[in-house]
Amino acid sequence: MTSQRPFRPAFVRAIGSHFVSIDHVQPVAISISSSGELIGSTSWADQASPVATKKRIVTSDEGRVFVIDWPTSLAAPNSQSNPISVVAVAVSPNGNLTSAAADESEVPSSPRTHRRMSSRGATHTIEASEQHWIFRNHLTGWIWNSEAIHAGAHLALPSPAHITSHATLGDLAAITVQRENKRPWPFQPQSEVQILTRTRSALTSMGVPHIDIGHLCWARRRDEREALRDLNEYMRFTRSQIHSAAKKGARDVRLVVRGAGLDTTIELWFTLDSAPGAVFCRRDVPFDETGHASGLRGQNIALDEDIESGLIQIASHDEGSVTYI
């Protein structure tokens, strides 16, 4: 892939005096100084094949960050399954990066992070703590809000904000923040790395500059016949969504397919008796940026479950408007 593609961080680890961040799907890592400056990058596009991944896990030891990709068919890694690829990103003392294929036996256990979940009314809170830092994600309906706390200082991040990963170096912390809400599902999420610093009485944040990693990414699959076969198979999932949603109260369901091949977008338009006058649209993008089938099916996101949970009904909507969910 040589076209422009922004780095979309989803993971961060502290190695030595530096932070290392990993893209949410592409084979790219960057290193960042404690002052938020970009030091280097590495890609393993030529060492691992692009495949649709269900789950990416990132862990680290004293000098390396390990990136483990698991196949789509697995809901979660288990002792009977094998990862698609294991890559070790080595970090030099000056922050430069190199990457190479690794054996699964080299991967250390993930460090223990204390997590706590709680609910108050319609808001669900997920709290993680690490070395006197507390990171909280608040989910109200499908709206994400996040905050960080350290040594009595508090910082609320501008909404929408969902902290997907964090790492600490004393009074410094790095977080990866997804700037999207839970719905509509973000297929190409806007995300960033923030460096948090403890001053005398407050926490301050500084964003790491956005970078283009298009030249470091996997090339997109271009076999249109194979894509058409995968799309026909994917439509079975779409049709099952229509039938199951109708059982949960969806009315006037209309299927609209836009684009073709790898650039196909599927839309399900419908109304709900519980939201008179409103029109809803669920948009699905079957193929990911590497050209493999993933979409909402790959994320186990079902329309009938969202209707039953009340996620759709609590969305703000006006009579005659369209709410994308």
Side-chain angles (χ1 to χ4, degrees):
M1 182 183 294
T2 57
S3 60
Q4 289 189 347
R5 198 286 201 175
F7 180 66
R8 297 191 180 106
F11 309 90
V12 66
R13 289 290 182 271
I15 302 291
S17 59
H18 305 96
F19 295 110
V20 177
S21 183
I22 311 295
D23 191 84
H24 84 116
V25 67
Q26 290 290 353
V28 180
I30 65 170
S31 54
I32 307 163
S33 71
S34 58
S35 61
E37 297 178 355
L38 176 66
I39 299 175
S41 62
T42 186
S43 170
W44 52 96
D46 59 345
Q47 301 176 57
S49 299
V51 290
T53 56
K54 176 68 177 184
K55 188 175 183 68
R56 171 168 280 187
I57 293 177
V58 173
T59 186
S60 59
D61 59 17
E62 291 184 356
R64 296 179 295 175
V65 177
F66 292 87
V67 183
I68 308 99
D69 285 340
W70 297 86
T72 299
S73 59
L74 300 173
N78 58 65
S79 59
Q80 282 73 45
S81 64
N82 295 312
I84 297 168
S85 65
V86 180
V87 172
V89 177
V91 187
S92 70
N94 62 5
N96 290 327
L97 304 179
T98 56
S99 53
D103 189 86
E104 190 179 0
S105 62
E106 301 178 59
V107 178
S109 301
S110 299
R112 182 175 178 82
T113 299
H114 298 285
R115 297 185 184 276
R116 184 170 64 90
M117 298 184 66
S118 61
S119 297
R120 176 176 294 181
T123 299
H124 305 280
T125 298
I126 305 170
E127 179 179 291
S129 58
E130 178 182 348
Q131 296 183 356
H132 308 293
W133 284 83
I134 296 175
F135 306 94
R136 290 185 182 137
N137 286 314
H138 306 284
L139 180 63
T140 304
W142 55 29
I143 307 300
W144 282 111
N145 289 281
S146 297
E147 61 182 331
I149 301 170
H150 178 57
H154 170 269
L155 177 67
L157 301 176
S159 180
H162 178 201
I163 299 173
T164 60
S165 182
H166 53 81
T168 63
L169 288 171
D171 285 339
L172 290 174
I175 56 176
T176 53
V177 183
Q178 184 169 296
R179 295 295 186 179
E180 308 279 357
N181 286 316
K182 186 174 182 179
R183 298 289 189 275
W185 181 259
F187 294 98
Q188 295 182 344
Q190 296 184 30
S191 56
E192 60 192 34
V193 180
Q194 291 272 341
I195 304 296
L196 308 184
T197 306
R198 175 70 163 87
T199 61
R200 289 183 178 180
S201 59
L203 281 180
T204 61
S205 67
M206 173 180 56
V208 174
H210 295 280
I211 64 169
D212 174 40
I213 61 168
H215 61 294
L216 300 174
C217 295
W218 281 311
R220 197 180 193 200
R221 186 183 63 166
R222 291 294 181 186
D223 188 331
E224 293 295 336
R225 289 182 299 177
E226 190 174 333
L228 180 59
R229 182 200 65 194
D230 289 348
L231 180 60
N232 288 333
E233 194 276 330
Y234 192 93
M235 290 300 294
R236 297 180 183 177
F237 164 76
T238 302
R239 288 190 288 270
S240 70
Q241 292 289 286
I242 294 174
H243 294 305
S244 57
K247 294 179 180 178
K248 299 299 181 181
R251 301 288 182 262
D252 307 315
V253 181
R254 181 165 56 97
L255 169 64
V256 177
V257 179
R258 305 186 189 276
L262 297 176
D263 298 315
T264 298
T265 298
I266 300 171
E267 295 177 351
L268 292 181
W269 294 73
F270 62 96
T271 61
L272 288 171
D273 293 338
S274 57
V279 177
F280 299 92
C281 178
R282 165 141 294 182
R283 184 175 290 160
D284 193 0
V285 180
F287 295 103
D288 66 14
E289 59 187 89
T290 68
H292 291 82
S294 180
L296 296 178
R297 182 185 66 178
Q299 301 298 327
N300 289 329
I301 295 176
L303 180 55
D304 63 320
E305 293 179 0
D306 279 358
I307 295 174
E308 188 173 34
S309 69
L311 267 179
I312 292 176
Q313 288 88 330
I314 65 175
S316 60
H317 55 264
D318 299 318
E319 185 171 348
S321 66
V322 177
T323 299
Y324 288 90
I325 48 81

